[in-house]
């Protein structure tokens, strides 16, 4: 059974495909896919390391565990909007 893709999801996938298909051949070669995945890996790795550094900086008690207040401050420092009722 085929699953329908929402128009906005289809547009996002089409945009990703066009960005990866650098030679505009209409297909993604193994090399193009490798380059795209390497870039994606680097982006994810950078995000994880950045979040880790923010968490370490906000662990003011140096317990390797963030209190709710420390976590809220860390997430805010990372650019997320977190309301007080979340904690």
């Amino acid at each position: 059974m085929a699953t329908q893709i929402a128009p906005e999801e289809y547009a996002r996938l089409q945009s990703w495909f066009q960005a990866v298909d650098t030679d505009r051949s209409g297909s993604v070669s193994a090399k193009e896919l490798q380059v795209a995945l390497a870039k994606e890996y680097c982006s994810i790795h950078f995000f994880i390391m950045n979040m880790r550094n923010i968490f370490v900086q906000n662990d003011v008690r140096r317990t390797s565990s963030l209190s709710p207040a420390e976590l809220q401050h860390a997430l805010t420092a990372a650019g997320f909007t977190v309301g007080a009722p979340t904690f």
Side-chain angles (χ1 to χ4, degrees):
M1 181 164 109
T3 302
Q4 292 290 334
I5 298 175
E8 59 275 0
E9 182 66 11
Y10 181 81
R12 190 178 72 78
L13 290 170
Q14 187 175 34
S15 175
W16 182 88
F17 180 87
Q18 289 171 347
V20 173
D21 181 21
T22 56
D23 65 3
R24 302 294 179 243
S25 66
S27 62
V28 175
S29 69
K31 184 65 177 173
E32 289 171 325
L33 183 58
Q34 182 182 20
V35 169
L37 292 175
K39 287 179 184 177
E40 192 68 22
Y41 171 81
C42 287
S43 295
I44 292 169
H45 180 71
F46 177 79
F47 173 79
I48 291 170
M49 295 309 296
N50 187 47
M51 291 304 299
R52 181 190 178 281
N53 290 337
I54 290 171
F55 288 160
V56 167
Q57 291 170 359
N58 284 280
D59 182 14
V60 295
R61 299 170 301 133
R62 302 294 178 238
T63 61
S64 297
S65 177
L66 297 179
S67 69
E70 291 170 332
L71 179 59
Q72 183 175 11
H73 190 268
L75 291 173
T76 301
F80 294 95
T81 303
V82 182
T86 304
F87 299 97

